[in-house]
Structure formats: C-alpha cells, structure tokens
Amino acid sequence: FRSSWADHLAFFAYSHSAAGSPARDAVLHRGENPVLMYMIALSLICCIAGRVVSGWKSAALLQSGSGLSKLHHQDGVQNEHDAVQKMTWNGQDVCVDDTSAEGSVQADFYSYSGVAAKPAQGDDCPVPCDTTTFADSILLSTKGGDNCFQWPGSSGYNSMNQGQCNGDGDSFTWDQYLSCDCGAGGYSPVVVSGKVIDGTTATRKTLYTSKCIVDTAKGSFGICGRISNYEACR
C-alpha cells in the first residue's frame, strides 16, 4: 500500500511540475526516502496553490477588463473616468498647468485699466475683447466634482474644480481658488497689499461664449473673460 501510494504521488507530482523543478528532481531520485517524499508532497501543494491563485487573478481581470479597472472597483470607483484627480502641494511652489485640452473648454482673458467706471464681476467688459487687450488663455476641465486642476495665471496660484457645462449651451461655471490644490491643504499663498488672500475659499465663476464679461474686478482695472472653445460641452 505504501509503495502504491508513493508511486501515485510521485507520478502526479512529476506530471504537474515544471522541468527542473524540486518536485521532478525529488521524484527522479526519491527511492523510498521519506524526506524526499515529503519534498514531493510539499512541492505538489505549492504547485496546486499557485495554479489556484493564478486562476483567481485571471478571473478577476477578465471580469473587470483590466488590472486598473479592478483596482478602481476595489476602491469603490467604477472606472478611470470616475477617479478623482488629487495632488499634494507644499503651499509655496508656483502652480503648474496640468489641464489636458481633451475634455476642457478654453477661456480667453483680456485686461483693462484706467477706466472711469468700476465694473463688478459679471458686468460687461468695459473694453473690446480683441487682440489689443488679449492677456492669456487657460483650459477649464469639464470633469467636474472634486477633481482639482491648477495653472499659474497672473498671481502664480490658481486652481479650479466643480467645472460644469450649463444647460443654456452657452456658459461654463466653476469654483476657482487662489491656491494650487483647491484649498485642500489649507494654504493661502497670495498676498496683496500686505493682506493674505484666503486660498481655501472658492470664488464661483461663470463665463459665456456669446459675451465678454468682467472676470476679476479691481476698481479701475481688471480682467475680462470669454469662452472661446466650447466643444467639450457639446
């Protein structure tokens, strides 16, 4: 009985093991040595366990489509489009432009100064919005939610989240911060006239494709804006 059991175990281990593996070496030189038989049994168990784990992994990847999607699923996120863009920032370094043109609207900005009137945010721009007053262009992500995107701008510290295409088919709204992480780190790096400007509180902004309005009002000077590329919202 012992010999029959040993031979069956040896044959099974040999047939399910890779060439040059400890299991095959043990089978070829086993004799009736109990130590070698123990090696055969141990190698066989490892072999079977490895195949079972590999099978589980393959089934999981097949079900999710990819390893990345499976990781997102475990984190409670259904796909990569739902993943929130997060970042860390030391509160000092100037922001970098990290917004992709894909899935973003483009806003053009125009500067004015020395105007007699003192327009407020949202008023019609007091100067023509053309090449004579053009100042800068930025991309505003339509990804929405808490996804945070940054750019330097004139202050060096700007970020936005909660971007949304509005139902009028003409405007885009977002929350803007004077910090690089949408206020997540609690930093307020901008100082104007000796006063620290809160970088953790958002300013709600809206721009339009059909008109150019005041984006930032600073008395007799400021910045106007208009959406120049609205394709990501269509």
Side-chain angles (χ1 to χ4, degrees):
F1 179 83
R2 176 184 175 186
S3 177
S4 176
W5 174 86
D7 289 340
H8 282 299
L9 177 60
F11 175 79
F12 191 84
Y14 186 91
S15 61
H16 286 76
S17 303
S21 66
R24 284 202 174 184
D25 289 340
V27 170
L28 294 175
H29 303 92
R30 73 186 189 282
E32 292 294 326
N33 189 324
V35 175
L36 290 179
M37 291 308 301
Y38 172 77
M39 289 178 61
I40 293 173
L42 181 60
S43 298
L44 180 59
I45 292 172
C46 292
C47 173
I48 294 174
R51 292 189 180 188
V52 170
V53 171
S54 178
W56 286 348
K57 287 183 177 179
S58 297
L61 293 179
L62 180 60
Q63 181 181 9
S64 63
S66 71
L68 180 61
S69 296
K70 185 62 177 179
L71 177 60
H72 285 169
H73 179 70
Q74 290 173 343
D75 289 340
V77 180
Q78 296 304 313
N79 56 59
E80 54 266 41
H81 297 294
D82 295 330
V84 175
Q85 171 162 318
K86 298 179 180 179
M87 63 197 71
T88 57
W89 177 56
N90 60 13
Q92 299 176 354
D93 293 340
V94 172
C95 302
V96 297
D97 193 343
D98 66 354
T99 311
S100 170
E102 183 178 358
S104 299
V105 299
Q106 178 175 308
D108 294 344
F109 294 93
Y110 307 85
S111 61
Y112 64 89
S113 61
V115 298
K118 296 182 179 180
Q121 181 183 345
D123 289 350
D124 290 340
C125 189
V127 299
C129 296
D130 56 25
T131 55
T132 63
T133 58
F134 177 78
D136 195 11
S137 293
I138 65 170
L139 296 171
L140 300 169
S141 175
T142 63
K143 195 169 185 180
D146 292 330
N147 293 283
C148 185
F149 299 89
Q150 59 175 297
W151 70 96
S154 59
S155 68
Y157 304 96
N158 287 281
S159 57
M160 62 84 68
N161 59 16
Q162 305 298 327
Q164 66 178 45
C165 305
N166 296 319
D168 57 10
D170 180 52
S171 61
F172 184 79
T173 300
W174 72 99
D175 285 350
Q176 186 166 327
Y177 303 78
L178 282 171
S179 57
C180 298
D181 59 358
C182 297
Y187 301 110
S188 299
V190 179
V191 179
V192 178
S193 301
K195 180 182 177 181
V196 177
I197 308 300
D198 187 1
T200 65
T201 301
T203 298
R204 192 70 167 166
K205 294 189 174 186
T206 298
L207 289 181
Y208 301 82
T209 64
S210 59
K211 58 183 178 179
C212 189
I213 63 174
V214 175
D215 173 76
T216 304
K218 299 179 180 179
S220 62
F221 67 96
I223 299 173
C224 298
R226 178 173 58 198
I227 300 296
S228 60
N229 188 331
Y230 199 66
E231 288 303 311
C233 287
R234 299 191 189 283

